[in-house]
Amino acid sequence: MSIDTLAPADAAALLEHEVRELVRRRALDPVRDRAGLERLVAEASADYTERATRGVVPALADPQGTARAVVDALGGLGPLQRYLDDPEVEEIWINSTSSGIGAGRRVFETTQSARSPHACNSPGLRPPEHRGRRLR
């Protein structure tokens, strides 16, 4: 398969796969060492971008957004992490594996943050570390 036929989502998945492998090799705990994870993602993203300019891998559509998504996927709660990091969000309701509602300042926002059924039902799902918020 040529890199010309790969979609931007494939590029993001490739970077995430590479970072996951680096986390394993370096025995980095992405939850406890968030700063280390962010450094690792920055290094991997820079290396990936350099390879993309040479045409070795497909280019990332949004390098910064992809880097943030990788950090959130490995060290947080994936697509829900941005809502947990937002001090305005008070509650998050997960309606299904592909939608939810965030509430803050009496405003409700519907989100299409995809999570796999396994991720939503996983007994290992970490509770949010941000106090004063509810995740339903």
Side-chain angles (χ1 to χ4, degrees):
M1 177 182 286
S2 160
I3 66 165
D4 297 329
T5 61
L6 294 174
D10 296 327
L14 183 57
L15 176 61
E16 183 176 335
H17 174 76
E18 291 178 2
V19 172
R20 284 183 186 277
E21 184 60 32
L22 289 170
V23 165
R24 279 188 211 104
R25 284 186 196 161
R26 297 181 186 184
L28 178 74
D29 184 339
V31 175
R32 289 197 171 99
D33 188 3
R34 182 83 173 204
L37 176 63
E38 289 173 351
R39 281 191 304 274
L40 182 64
V41 169
E43 291 170 14
S45 185
D47 178 65
Y48 187 95
T49 300
E50 182 180 318
R51 288 182 287 142
T53 59
R54 293 193 314 255
V56 177
V57 293
L60 295 167
D62 176 10
Q64 290 178 331
T66 301
R68 172 65 195 247
V70 170
V71 170
D72 289 348
L74 276 67
L77 292 177
L80 296 176
Q81 191 61 45
R82 71 182 182 109
Y83 299 104
L84 293 169
D85 291 342
D86 185 344
E88 300 293 319
V89 174
E90 298 167 2
E91 290 186 75
I92 300 169
W93 295 278
I94 301 173
N95 295 333
S96 70
T97 59
S98 63
S99 72
I101 298 174
R105 293 182 136 195
R106 299 179 191 216
V107 175
F108 296 89
E109 176 186 334
T110 302
T111 175
Q112 296 300 316
S113 297
R115 292 191 52 81
S116 70
H118 173 73
C120 287
N121 298 322
S122 172
L125 183 65
R126 293 183 311 277
E129 293 188 21
H130 303 279
R131 305 289 183 236
R133 298 204 181 124
R134 290 181 285 207
L135 182 61
R136 298 178 185 199

